[in-house]
Amino acid sequence: MALVVQKYGGTSVANIERIRNVARRVAKTYDDGNDVIVVVSAMSGETNKLVALANEMCEFPSEREYDVLVATGEQVTIALLSMCLQSMGYKAKSYMGHQIPILTDSTFSKARIEKIDDKKVREDLKNGTIIVVAGFQGVDREGNTTTLGRGGSDTSAVAVAAGLKADVCEIYTDVDGVYTTDPRIVPDATKIEKISYDEMLEMASLGAKVLQIRSVEFAKKYGVVVHVRSSFNDNPGTLVMKEDADMETVLVSGITYNKDEAKISVMRVPDKPGIASILFTPLSHANITVDMIIQNVSNEGYTDMTFTVPKTDFKKALKIVEESAKEIAAGAVRSDENIAKVSIVGVGMRSHSGVASKMFQTLSQEGINIQMISTSEIKVSCVIDAKYTELAVRVLHDAFGLSKKDVKAE
Amino acid sequence: MALVVQKYGGTSVANIERIRNVARRVAKTYDDGNDVIVVVSAMSGETNKLVALANEMCEFPSEREYDVLVATGEQVTIALLSMCLQSMGYKAKSYMGHQIPILTDSTFSKARIEKIDDKKVREDLKNGTIIVVAGFQGVDREGNTTTLGRGGSDTSAVAVAAGLKADVCEIYTDVDGVYTTDPRIVPDATKIEKISYDEMLEMASLGAKVLQIRSVEFAKKYGVVVHVRSSFNDNPGTLVMKEDADMETVLVSGITYNKDEAKISVMRVPDKPGIASILFTPLSHANITVDMIIQNVSNEGYTDMTFTVPKTDFKKALKIVEESAKEIAAGAVRSDENIAKVSIVGVGMRSHSGVASKMFQTLSQEGINIQMISTSEIKVSCVIDAKYTELAVRVLHDAFGLSKKDVKAE
């Protein structure tokens, strides 16, 4: 008998009929002889409705009260799913974050889970109860309701799996698993059978939206095996797990892209100590995350600095940078919102040379100019003109042999 | 400086604009130098939507999960109202039932409040915070969410006022106060300035819907002065309070009516000990409340029994009674859904005779037949044909001099 944690996202519980489907799936897992904990999101659309209410109420809603408001979405789902399981003849019991409790810090609207108490849940499991947990929410030490940020239910599920030492954490979603790239762009993208935590982290950071990044960090930290699969069929999905020897044989596991960043360049920056700090400290104080940073080789005591910021913070960032540029007597500030970041990810890169140059060559053959480059041990990212995004993804997917036909041919 | 508890019902917080109005009213009370605790209901319509979801999910939703579901309605309102007060520059903080905590028993969906902890709230009041409390909900000793039954926010407010020893508990609603009768039937019905707890209890039990009965019991038990008034104007409303000498001078304070009951008669019931128990025990086991019971004088060892039950339980009750009647070899079972109960209420009755006979006479003058009568120290109720309800209310209102012109003339 195994302990299985299953997480169902908003589209899987979007209406009464879909909640019934989820209940049947949960019941089947229970009937197969497993203990089951289900973590659910709000019915799709509900969280957006609640956020709209908050924004209609006032421009800058208090984060404590925002969390009280949006936490109601998951509360509705756990009640409905528990009712459904009970009406099917199963013992079921809903748990809100504060009832387990799922203890978090007090960073409202993006709280971090600190501890999960397993006592009450374990008692209920012992007497054959299916546990239904509200994802996305927790409680801080003062008893305030907190939420974990968008997509936080993934993290709830992995944290519950870690806290209860579950055998597997199944994340049900509306796709069959993690793909080598976005199948809307490359129709013969392949489902990845298994992927390492580090690769999944890079994929998630770089734009693959199937799992919340923090949930992957959590899974890695506690060694939770995550199975990403579809709630609409029984196909096996993608296992996110510790790196194994098989994975190293694959050069590139996936191609990601991201159109959510904008580029800012500061020209003729005096090249002396402390300049970078003057440019970037005010951005950090304004809570703006700077992603890629490139500094050209110094030329006659001057250099150019280029970096990317989220598009949502672009205007704010530009204003701040223009002031800083004046302060350090730099040259013009240039900006570009029409960029995309295309990345290749794979643990195999560590032991194989030539992967980056193959990427650059592939892009150049299509006449795609590379504006910025950033690399880590297991990924290479290039910033390009946004209009080439789809083309770049397709040719890279082909060049690294990720299509179905290539995989089968091997 | 006084401590004021204010309760706003669903229509007063029905949308963002109305919540803003409530916030302005709360702020004014605070600016006048008072400590303020606000208790709010769900936005009108929300609870019905949640109940509809539960009923769509399954026929008999578990009561524990039902409470988890419907408690979300009030949670949404407290978050929005707190945000609004904060955006106006006030310190405000929302509290759910489990956060105060408002401790109840475990009778899900109609829990009774056992204790209110004043520690956290008092600390917040001390530092000038306006407290916003979710009505209708509490928590039991095991940490389960409970709700207090329809209209439970009134009880929450009075209980909070009792627990915090507030100076007054203002119940804001969409009418100006408690009227001598329903103004939709008698346009010149008078607003009652003050009314005793016992009269208010009778009025609420007999059909006046302005306050939940349990809230009045609570107010009486703890001596909380309740001020029922409109959230749409500044008119003084009705004070519900301890009986005083003034009140005794009024013969009848109000006329109520209720069309929510049905009548069942069992003919030729053998008149011997234990028969009533055989008839009524199965009804009580089925959780059906029997209201009025009348047993005729025995005739040749047989009697007739007539009683009323809520219309919502009528069919179930009839089936049970038909079985019991067979068991005791009684005669026919007759029933009538077209009845109404019309009542006169007043503490003045205790010291004045002839009030009941004046009621019977007034009805008879209009040709209205009285089918059943029940009395207490401070009320007389008559069951009549439903079609005469409005006529009966009007003539009684007139006969006991409750119209505006009469009151002014005195």
Side-chain angles (χ1 to χ4, degrees):
Chain A
M1 188 168 81
L3 171 56
V4 179
V5 173
Q6 300 189 327
K7 182 257 166 178
Y8 294 90
T11 49
S12 304
V13 294
N15 54 44
I16 295 289
E17 202 36 62
R18 289 207 182 156
I19 293 176
R20 285 209 184 97
N21 279 336
V22 166
R24 280 189 282 268
R25 202 174 263 275
V26 169
K28 193 186 168 303
T29 310
Y30 180 88
D31 290 341
D32 286 347
N34 302 293
D35 282 341
V36 188
I37 302 175
V38 198
V39 178
V40 285
S41 302
M43 295 163 80
S44 70
E46 282 307 306
T47 306
N48 287 340
K49 261 190 228 162
L50 293 165
V51 171
L53 269 182
N55 291 336
E56 199 188 335
M57 188 79 259
C58 56
E59 205 177 351
F60 303 107
S62 124
E63 287 181 329
R64 178 189 188 274
E65 302 305 336
Y66 177 90
D67 282 4
V68 170
L69 182 70
V70 296
T72 58
E74 281 70 20
Q75 189 170 335
V76 167
T77 320
I78 56 172
L80 292 173
L81 179 56
S82 302
M83 285 175 189
C84 186
L85 284 164
Q86 288 167 353
S87 73
M88 290 162 65
Y90 294 85
K91 275 203 242 182
K93 188 173 165 188
S94 72
Y95 273 94
M96 285 174 261
H98 68 89
Q99 289 177 315
I100 292 188
I102 296 178
L103 197 70
T104 72
D105 62 18
S106 302
T107 321
F108 295 114
S109 88
K110 39 184 181 289
R112 285 183 170 269
I113 294 178
E114 291 182 346
K115 206 183 140 215
I116 289 192
D117 197 323
D118 66 344
K119 195 167 153 274
K120 281 200 222 169
V121 172
R122 221 174 266 289
E123 263 172 38
D124 281 329
L125 285 174
K126 240 180 236 166
N127 67 42
T129 304
I130 296 172
I131 309 295
V132 183
V133 176
F136 180 59
Q137 58 176 248
V139 65
D140 73 4
R141 279 172 207 280
E142 280 71 49
N144 298 306
T145 294
T146 56
T147 68
L148 310 178
R150 274 293 169 116
S153 293
D154 290 346
T155 307
S156 302
V158 174
V160 166
L164 275 288
K165 298 184 181 56
D167 297 281
V168 65
C169 177
E170 301 179 338
I171 305 275
Y172 286 89
T173 174
D174 50 0
V175 294
D176 268 358
V178 182
Y179 276 75
T180 48
T181 194
D182 187 341
R184 285 169 303 181
I185 292 182
V186 183
D188 68 347
T190 324
K191 186 175 67 198
I192 302 173
E193 264 179 53
K194 50 187 187 176
I195 188 170
S196 70
Y197 296 122
D198 286 331
E199 285 170 311
M200 193 64 232
L201 274 176
E202 289 287 2
M203 299 270 285
S205 319
L206 296 169
K209 291 195 174 105
V210 71
L211 276 180
Q212 200 207 21
I213 294 174
R214 207 174 287 170
S215 73
V216 186
E217 290 169 353
F218 226 99
K220 182 184 175 189
K221 186 168 170 192
Y222 294 99
V224 176
V225 176
V226 177
H227 187 182
V228 181
R229 55 192 305 195
S230 165
S231 65
F232 301 114
N233 61 47
D234 286 320
N235 302 344
T238 300
L239 289 174
V240 186
M241 51 187 285
K242 263 207 192 86
E243 197 176 319
D244 66 17
D246 288 3
M247 294 179 186
E248 291 244 0
T249 64
V250 183
L251 268 190
V252 169
S253 302
I255 317 282
T256 66
Y257 66 95
N258 177 349
K259 294 180 177 177
D260 300 334
E261 293 184 7
K263 192 176 75 169
I264 298 178
S265 300
V266 188
M267 318 307 288
R268 268 187 76 82
V269 175
D271 191 7
K272 52 186 181 188
I275 288 293
S277 158
I278 292 173
L279 272 177
F280 294 115
T281 307
L283 290 173
S284 138
H285 284 167
N287 263 321
I288 298 171
T289 315
V290 173
D291 180 20
M292 292 168 78
I293 302 180
I294 286 179
Q295 181 175 352
N296 278 358
V297 183
S298 183
N299 185 8
E300 295 176 5
Y302 290 95
T303 182
D304 301 334
M305 296 268 259
T306 300
F307 52 90
T308 61
V309 295
K311 264 187 194 158
T312 47
D313 292 330
F314 175 61
K315 280 188 186 153
K316 202 161 83 174
L318 194 58
K319 217 181 129 199
I320 292 172
V321 170
E322 276 167 351
E323 280 168 22
S324 307
K326 239 180 257 170
E327 199 181 319
I328 57 172
V333 174
R334 291 179 191 158
S335 63
D336 187 355
E337 286 190 274
N338 291 314
I339 60 158
K341 184 168 67 174
V342 177
S343 311
I344 57 176
V345 176
V347 290
M349 286 183 204
R350 277 200 299 246
S351 42
H352 295 79
S353 57
V355 174
S357 62
K358 184 170 180 182
M359 180 183 192
F360 305 151
Q361 206 180 342
T362 306
L363 293 176
S364 113
Q365 273 165 3
E366 299 294 333
I368 300 170
N369 187 38
I370 297 171
Q371 305 178 10
M372 299 171 81
I373 298 168
S374 109
T375 61
S376 81
E377 261 200 306
I378 63 166
K379 73 116 204 269
V380 184
S381 297
C382 294
V383 169
I384 60 171
D385 189 330
K387 69 182 175 191
Y388 294 123
T389 314
E390 291 75 14
L391 174 61
V393 169
R394 272 196 302 270
V395 295
L396 289 171
H397 198 263
D398 248 21
F400 288 102
L402 296 175
S403 299
K404 276 174 196 152
K405 56 180 190 301
D406 300 317
V407 173
K408 277 181 189 146
E410 265 174 11
Chain B
M1 190 168 81
L3 171 56
V4 179
V5 173
Q6 300 188 327
K7 180 257 168 179
Y8 294 91
T11 49
S12 305
V13 295
N15 55 45
I16 295 290
E17 202 36 63
R18 291 210 181 154
I19 293 176
R20 285 208 184 98
N21 280 336
V22 166
R24 278 190 283 268
R25 202 173 264 274
V26 169
K28 193 185 168 303
T29 310
Y30 181 88
D31 289 341
D32 287 346
N34 301 293
D35 282 341
V36 188
I37 302 175
V38 199
V39 178
V40 286
S41 302
M43 295 163 80
S44 70
E46 281 308 305
T47 305
N48 286 341
K49 261 190 228 163
L50 293 165
V51 171
L53 268 182
N55 291 336
E56 198 187 337
M57 188 79 259
C58 56
E59 205 177 350
F60 303 108
S62 124
E63 287 182 330
R64 178 187 188 275
E65 303 304 337
Y66 177 90
D67 282 4
V68 171
L69 181 69
V70 295
T72 59
E74 281 70 21
Q75 189 171 334
V76 167
T77 321
I78 56 172
L80 292 173
L81 178 57
S82 302
M83 285 175 187
C84 186
L85 283 165
Q86 288 166 353
S87 73
M88 290 161 66
Y90 294 85
K91 276 203 242 182
K93 189 173 166 188
S94 72
Y95 273 94
M96 285 175 262
H98 68 88
Q99 290 177 316
I100 291 189
I102 295 179
L103 198 70
T104 72
D105 63 17
S106 301
T107 322
F108 294 114
S109 89
K110 39 183 181 289
R112 285 184 170 269
I113 295 178
E114 291 182 347
K115 207 183 140 215
I116 289 192
D117 197 323
D118 66 344
K119 197 168 152 273
K120 283 200 220 169
V121 171
R122 222 175 265 290
E123 263 171 38
D124 280 329
L125 285 174
K126 240 180 235 166
N127 67 41
T129 304
I130 296 171
I131 309 295
V132 183
V133 176
F136 181 60
Q137 58 176 247
V139 65
D140 74 3
R141 280 172 207 280
E142 280 70 48
N144 299 305
T145 293
T146 56
T147 67
L148 310 178
R150 274 293 168 115
S153 293
D154 290 346
T155 307
S156 302
V158 173
V160 165
L164 275 287
K165 298 182 181 58
D167 296 282
V168 65
C169 177
E170 300 179 338
I171 305 277
Y172 286 90
T173 174
D174 49 1
V175 293
D176 267 359
V178 183
Y179 275 74
T180 47
T181 195
D182 187 339
R184 285 169 303 181
I185 293 182
V186 182
D188 67 347
T190 324
K191 187 174 67 195
I192 302 173
E193 264 179 54
K194 50 188 187 176
I195 188 169
S196 70
Y197 296 122
D198 286 331
E199 285 170 311
M200 194 64 232
L201 274 176
E202 289 286 3
M203 299 270 284
S205 318
L206 296 169
K209 293 201 172 97
V210 70
L211 276 180
Q212 200 207 21
I213 295 175
R214 209 174 286 170
S215 73
V216 185
E217 291 170 351
F218 227 99
K220 182 185 174 188
K221 187 169 170 190
Y222 294 99
V224 176
V225 177
V226 176
H227 188 180
V228 180
R229 55 192 304 195
S230 165
S231 65
F232 301 115
N233 61 47
D234 286 320
N235 301 345
T238 300
L239 289 174
V240 185
M241 52 188 285
K242 265 208 191 87
E243 197 177 319
D244 65 18
D246 287 2
M247 294 177 186
E248 292 243 1
T249 64
V250 183
L251 268 190
V252 169
S253 301
I255 317 281
T256 66
Y257 66 95
N258 178 349
K259 294 180 179 178
D260 300 334
E261 294 185 6
K263 192 176 74 170
I264 299 178
S265 300
V266 189
M267 317 309 286
R268 269 187 77 83
V269 175
D271 191 9
K272 52 187 180 187
I275 289 292
S277 158
I278 294 174
L279 272 176
F280 294 114
T281 307
L283 291 173
S284 137
H285 283 167
N287 263 320
I288 297 171
T289 316
V290 173
D291 180 20
M292 292 166 79
I293 303 180
I294 285 180
Q295 180 175 352
N296 277 357
V297 183
S298 181
N299 186 7
E300 296 177 4
Y302 291 95
T303 182
D304 301 334
M305 296 268 260
T306 301
F307 53 89
T308 60
V309 296
K311 263 186 194 159
T312 46
D313 292 330
F314 175 61
K315 280 186 187 157
K316 203 161 80 172
L318 195 58
K319 216 180 131 198
I320 293 172
V321 169
E322 277 167 349
E323 281 168 22
S324 308
K326 239 180 258 169
E327 199 181 320
I328 56 172
V333 174
R334 292 179 190 158
S335 63
D336 187 356
E337 285 190 275
N338 290 314
I339 59 159
K341 184 169 67 175
V342 177
S343 311
I344 58 176
V345 176
V347 290
M349 286 183 206
R350 278 199 300 243
S351 42
H352 294 79
S353 57
V355 174
S357 63
K358 185 171 179 181
M359 180 183 192
F360 305 151
Q361 206 181 344
T362 306
L363 294 175
S364 114
Q365 272 165 3
E366 299 293 333
I368 301 171
N369 187 40
I370 298 171
Q371 306 178 10
M372 298 172 82
I373 299 169
S374 108
T375 60
S376 81
E377 261 201 307
I378 63 166
K379 73 116 205 268
V380 183
S381 297
C382 294
V383 168
I384 61 171
D385 190 329
K387 70 181 175 192
Y388 294 123
T389 314
E390 291 76 14
L391 173 61
V393 169
R394 272 196 303 269
V395 293
L396 290 170
H397 198 264
D398 248 20
F400 288 102
L402 296 174
S403 298
K404 275 175 198 154
K405 57 180 189 302
D406 301 317
V407 173
K408 275 178 190 151
E410 264 174 11

